[in-house]
Amino acid sequence: MDDLISFLRIPSISALPEHAPDVRRAAEWLRHWLAQAGLENVRLIEGDGNPLVFAEWTKAPAKPTLLLYGHYDVQPPDPLEEWTSPPFDPQIRGGNLYARGAADDKSQLYILMEAVRRMLRERGRLPVNVKFLIEGEEESGGEHIERYVSSAPAELRSDAALICDTAMFAPGLPTITTGLRGIVYGEIHLQGARADLHSGDYGGAAPNAVEAAAQIIAALKDRDGRIRIPGLYDRVRRPGDTELEAWRSLPFDPEQYREKEIGSPALAGEPEVPLLERLWSRPTLEIHGIRGGFTGEGAKTVIPARAVVKISLRLVPDQRPEEVVRQLEAAIAQATPRGVTAKFHLLSSAPANLVDPQNPFVKKAAEAMEKVFGRKSVYVRCGGSIPIVGLFEKFPGIPSVLAGFGLPDDNIHAPNEKMSVENIRRGIDAIIAYFDALGA
Ligand code: BES
Ligand code: MN
Ligand code: MN
């Protein structure tokens, strides 16, 4: 706990340039910890962006090699006033550890680290070979790890990647994630007049960039949550009947979900599509923020010349990010009113990923978790994205095992992020059981 807490104290927020020194400090902290724990070839892999942390222990010949992936960067903590205890002053309350990064992903990464350290300390060796690859820009769409992995370095060669960066479907229910959505994230930059203008003098003649933003946003989705981008659904693949059947038997009550996790009077999205299908196997389009015009106190009569819209789409199999970008650009052009110029700037993208539940590395993970949690593992997908999973699959050809120990109400990316202390403890036991099973 002390070590994990000192890791959590570092505000390694990759999206905010002013935190660059903290991001580096988190990488250095990991390097030091991993070396102390007895790992070898511990080093920072420098490049364009935040350093990758590499470490390995490969003295189990003829045993499988696992690539242990995690990320040491975290999301910005705002709004600060909504945190019960400060985001970078970790505190334990009611069996939960509260801090930014508590669940996403520092404690979960720490589960992998501590499992390895404990085995090395108690036995002087590991039942399998391991290679840590830890990145510092997962939360901000950085490409350093993509360039590194795509170059297929020999030192990365492994049989499977093990990632603890997802959640269990319910408390006490061991969970394997078999699908991640992809993402296209970018900004729409709008320009009307050359500069802001008096709305009395020029109203009726000058185009309004904020109004154009609203018109474009409104045109991209209908009131039933269907995305109105021509061609967008063409490649969407429906999950197979077996998978859909498994989802129907999960312990899930949409009404309770609305009340407990969402807290809105009704749910959005395609009403005819069952909720878990909407969350896991349908594309989405979300607006994350709008910048433009006058937002101060009081009244200012101005016609804004510029506006920026932050927007993303979540992608599902078999959508292609480049194609979705082209479709989105065409839909934006179609919806842009006269006199306004709209440009889409792509910030990051990744395709959706599926994991084969029959893969022996996946099956053994499910069994190991069952031993520790005393319950049958469930297979789910998740709505979020872990961009590097696709590249592990594509370049060195490494399948990913997504075995996370977060909980659905951990508030990742939100105020009061938490991680169950019990899940950290059981997570470590489960990873050790998994390594033992693979090494047997
Ligand atoms: N750990 C999450 C992915 C995730 C989210 C898994 C929800 C399970 C449930 C990851 O850190 C994340 O937040 N990814 C970003 C990627 C994006 C910034 C490219 C995401 O999904 O928004
Ligand atoms: Mn994460
Ligand atoms: Mn995240």
Side-chain angles (χ1 to χ4, degrees), residues 44-364:
L44 301 189
I45 301 171
E46 303 286 353
D48 224 355
N50 302 331
L52 296 165
V53 184
F54 182 87
E56 64 185 357
W57 189 94
T58 52
K59 291 188 263 189
K63 300 292 181 187
T65 301
L66 287 177
L67 182 61
L68 308 179
Y69 166 86
H71 60 94
Y72 64 82
D73 64 324
V74 300
Q75 287 274 324
D78 56 285
L80 282 177
E81 64 281 5
E82 288 186 29
W83 286 78
T84 304
S85 51
F88 298 106
D89 180 6
Q91 288 185 20
I92 297 172
R93 292 192 300 276
N96 290 309
L97 177 56
Y98 285 85
R100 169 55 86 234
D104 186 11
D105 176 39
K106 285 177 173 168
S107 309
Q108 297 224 63
L109 163 62
Y110 196 80
I111 286 171
L112 295 170
M113 292 162 46
E114 183 60 29
V116 166
R117 174 163 76 173
R118 191 183 300 170
M119 283 185 282
L120 285 176
R121 191 177 57 218
E122 289 174 0
R123 318 173 184 177
R125 54 180 298 103
L126 301 179
V128 293
N129 303 293
V130 300
K131 298 175 177 181
F132 279 96
L133 183 66
I134 310 169
E135 74 162 307
E137 37 189 28
E138 193 272 351
E139 298 288 14
S140 55
E143 286 169 5
H144 180 24
I145 191 168
E146 295 181 18
R147 281 186 293 269
Y148 170 72
V149 173
S150 327
S151 74
E155 65 187 352
L156 224 54
R157 222 172 285 143
S158 310
D159 298 297
L162 173 59
I163 304 177
C164 299
D165 193 22
T166 50
M168 307 203 306
F169 188 73
L173 192 59
T175 303
I176 293 282
T177 297
T178 59
L180 296 160
R181 282 195 289 198
I183 193 165
V184 162
Y185 195 115
E187 293 177 344
I188 309 171
H189 288 234
L190 300 153
Q191 174 90 45
R194 191 178 310 115
D196 290 0
L197 294 168
H198 188 292
S199 70
D201 239 0
Y202 296 98
N208 183 317
V210 172
E211 184 184 317
Q215 287 171 342
I216 293 167
I217 293 168
L220 292 178
K221 207 200 263 180
D222 73 14
R223 296 193 148 245
D224 275 333
R226 246 177 311 273
I227 302 165
R228 300 193 41 172
I229 298 179
L232 186 91
Y233 292 100
D234 288 358
R235 292 189 198 274
V236 169
R237 196 201 324 164
R238 198 164 181 261
D241 289 337
T242 335
E243 193 170 17
L244 290 175
E245 190 49 53
W247 294 356
R248 277 192 284 274
S249 62
L250 290 167
F252 185 66
D253 175 359
E255 185 49 27
Q256 202 181 330
Y257 172 85
R258 180 195 63 76
E259 172 81 40
K260 291 255 159 62
E261 283 195 48
I262 308 284
S264 60
L267 293 179
E270 302 165 290
E272 71 283 5
V273 182
L275 189 47
L276 292 179
E277 269 181 71
R278 252 145 72 192
L279 295 171
W280 296 344
S281 62
R282 297 291 291 170
T284 64
L285 180 146
E286 297 295 341
I287 304 303
H288 305 290
I290 306 176
R291 195 165 68 219
F294 176 67
T295 55
E297 296 290 319
K300 178 187 178 190
T301 48
V302 66
I303 300 177
R306 277 173 287 273
V308 176
V309 176
K310 298 222 178 227
I311 182 173
S312 79
L313 290 116
R314 295 281 168 174
L315 313 187
V316 300
D318 300 319
Q319 291 182 290
R320 302 174 182 176
E322 314 73 44
E323 188 174 78
V324 168
V325 169
R326 282 196 297 275
Q327 291 167 338
L328 172 64
E329 283 171 338
I332 292 169
Q334 190 68 39
T336 305
R338 211 166 54 237
V340 173
T341 316
K343 280 208 179 75
F344 179 71
H345 297 266
L346 181 67
L347 290 177
S348 69
S349 71
N353 300 109
L354 290 177
V355 167
D356 175 10
Q358 300 302 328
N359 180 299
F361 285 92
V362 175
K363 284 172 120 172
K364 280 220 166 66

